[in-house]
Amino acid sequence: MKQIVILGSTGSIGTSTLDIIAKFPDKFRAVGLTAGTNVEKLEEQIRTFSPAAVAMADDAAAERLRARCKGLKTTILSGTDGLRQVATAPDADLVISAIVGGAGLVPTLAAITAGKFIALANKEPMVMAGRLMQDEARKHGVRIFPVDSEHSALFQSMEGHRVEDILRLILTASGGPLWNLTKEELRRVTVEQALKHPNWKMGDKITIDSATLMNKGLEVVEAHWLFDIPASKIEVVVHRESIIHSLVEYQDRSVIAQLGLPDMRTPIAYAMNYPARVPLDLPSLNLAQIGTLTFFNPDHDRFPCLGFGYEALQVGGTMPAVLNAANEVAVQAFLDRRIGFLGIAETIRRTMDAHKPVEVSALEDALGADAWARAKAGEIVESLAAAAVR
Ligand code: NAD
Ligand code: MG
């Protein structure tokens, strides 16, 4: 029986993980759950899964949850300390890291330091502090299993192969809902249009990241740290159907890929039960029915955010953390309808241009750069919003 903690249990990845736990009660038990502010959903999860402890990032939300869960055995904690406590629970074997954004860094790193194996969906901490996370993982004998579908595909395509034989990692990108729009059309894109992902149903933040291709930029950085492969050997190809989840080319020019219909339960379950596979009741891939798979080069003019990922990785130090924080601020401002779609890339560009990177030798360096970039990006958003009403 594997004892599981889910950081971000009320989100898209979190609920898919609980789906798998519910289907295999003899294999997995949810011992700890955490959420940001969604009291109703966490209450429902407490009543279904009876975890020993839960934590809510928001103190007031935790207070409301306590009032609704009187008489239940689950301990309800709150704030950063509460999240950290659940992430490091002594009986936990595996922590599913599925908070959205940089907010996941502190609890995920705490879990690693406590020696917990990690199933990593939350890519932003890897972008902010990849070296630190990997150093801690090595120090504490921790394995980090990728959940992100592309990285799970790379991981699966590398199994049984030698790292020194790898020529290239090829990440696939769906291109998102706006792939076919012109720059002029992109300028006027609405939040609703940007949230309509063609292949995946995910949280709002990553859905916007898919529309800007920032998600792929973050994933290039994530792949670099997960697999210790230089950026020069990581490529991206747009593959509209999201059937091939990523590929690895070896020096004999053999290319190994992992395929499947787009459903996150497949990579989640693989990370949870590695190396064994569990039977999932999902539709089979029918290639003849799909008929055609299409591929394109990314368009850096219309979608500059992918290039920002490569650039941040090349500059190194605190630059990836700054890229990530600026993106989080800009995406939120777009979702709040304060800036336009192209304002996201502009905010990131201007924040990165203003940054003087330093090394990330401790958690504080990453958190400091994150705070600086949030303030800077906030100012840029204000100026863009003001210009828009003028
Ligand atoms: P989501 O918005 O659906 O869920 C986010 C979860 O994090 C929720 O439980 C929420 O309560 C919690 N949360 C939000 N802000 C928080 C904060 N400040 N402190 C503590 N908890 C907080 O997001 P998602 O789509 O499930 O994505 C989660 C992560 O997984 C992201 O990093 C995303 O990039 C990655 N990912 C998601 C998918 C997908 O299919 N959804 C695929 C690949 C990778
Ligand atoms: Mg992905």
Side-chain angles (χ1 to χ4, degrees), residues 8 10-13 36 57 98-99 103 121-124 148 202-203 206 264:
T10 56
S12 160
I13 294 288
I99 289 174
N122 186 194
K123 65 195 81 181
E124 293 90 345
D148 214 344
M202 313 179 284
I206 182 175
M264 284 308 293

Side-chain angles (χ1 to χ4, degrees), residues 90-315:
D91 53 347
D93 304 307
L94 178 72
V95 172
I96 316 291
S97 171
I99 289 174
V100 59
L105 174 58
V106 168
T108 303
L109 198 57
I112 294 173
T113 307
K116 308 297 181 193
F117 278 28
I118 305 289
L120 187 82
N122 186 194
K123 65 195 81 181
E124 293 90 345
M126 261 303 176
V127 173
M128 296 168 72
R131 188 192 305 275
L132 201 67
M133 286 181 56
Q134 288 295 22
D135 284 351
E136 282 300 298
R138 259 188 300 275
K139 208 188 298 170
H140 298 278
V142 162
R143 290 199 68 173
I144 301 178
F145 298 106
V147 168
D148 214 344
S149 54
E150 296 77 2
H151 304 74
S152 178
L154 294 172
F155 178 58
Q156 293 179 57
S157 302
M158 282 182 211
E159 286 224 86
H161 300 275
R162 304 185 324 160
V163 176
E164 56 268 39
D165 289 336
I166 294 175
L167 276 189
R168 291 187 294 162
L169 306 184
I170 306 164
L171 288 161
T172 54
S174 71
L178 311 176
W179 175 248
N180 290 319
L181 300 194
T182 64
K183 195 110 187 220
E184 243 348 275
E185 289 168 330
L186 287 177
R187 195 178 303 285
R188 289 186 298 272
V189 152
T190 63
V191 171
E192 289 70 24
Q193 273 174 293
L195 282 177
K196 265 206 196 89
H197 198 283
N199 306 336
W200 298 97
K201 204 181 155 351
M202 313 179 284
D204 285 356
K205 193 263 178 181
I206 182 175
T207 306
I208 301 301
D209 286 349
S210 301
T212 59
L213 261 66
M214 187 70 261
N215 184 50
K216 215 48 57 179
L218 299 176
E219 289 185 355
V220 167
V221 184
E222 182 188 14
H224 166 72
W225 290 117
L226 276 176
F227 304 117
D228 194 21
I229 299 283
S232 58
K233 290 185 169 183
I234 306 175
E235 286 179 20
V236 172
V237 65
V238 173
H239 163 45
R240 294 295 282 153
E241 296 79 14
S242 301
I243 296 296
I244 300 180
H245 297 308
S246 279
L247 319 86
V248 180
E249 184 184 22
Y250 292 93
Q251 56 180 345
D252 60 356
R253 308 290 160 172
S254 176
V255 178
I256 312 270
Q258 186 260 344
L259 287 73
L261 290 171
D263 191 309
M264 284 308 293
R265 282 171 293 188
T266 301
I268 294 171
Y270 193 62
M272 286 171 77
N273 209 43
Y274 175 85
R277 293 176 187 267
V278 293
L280 292 180
D281 190 17
L282 303 173
S284 274
L285 173 63
N286 183 335
L287 284 173
Q289 191 177 35
I290 292 165
T292 312
L293 299 180
T294 55
F295 305 93
F296 305 91
N297 282 320
D299 180 337
H300 291 282
D301 178 44
R302 286 180 305 138
F303 301 99
C305 292
L306 170 59
F308 297 167
Y310 280 101
E311 183 186 327
L313 198 48
Q314 203 210 343
V315 173

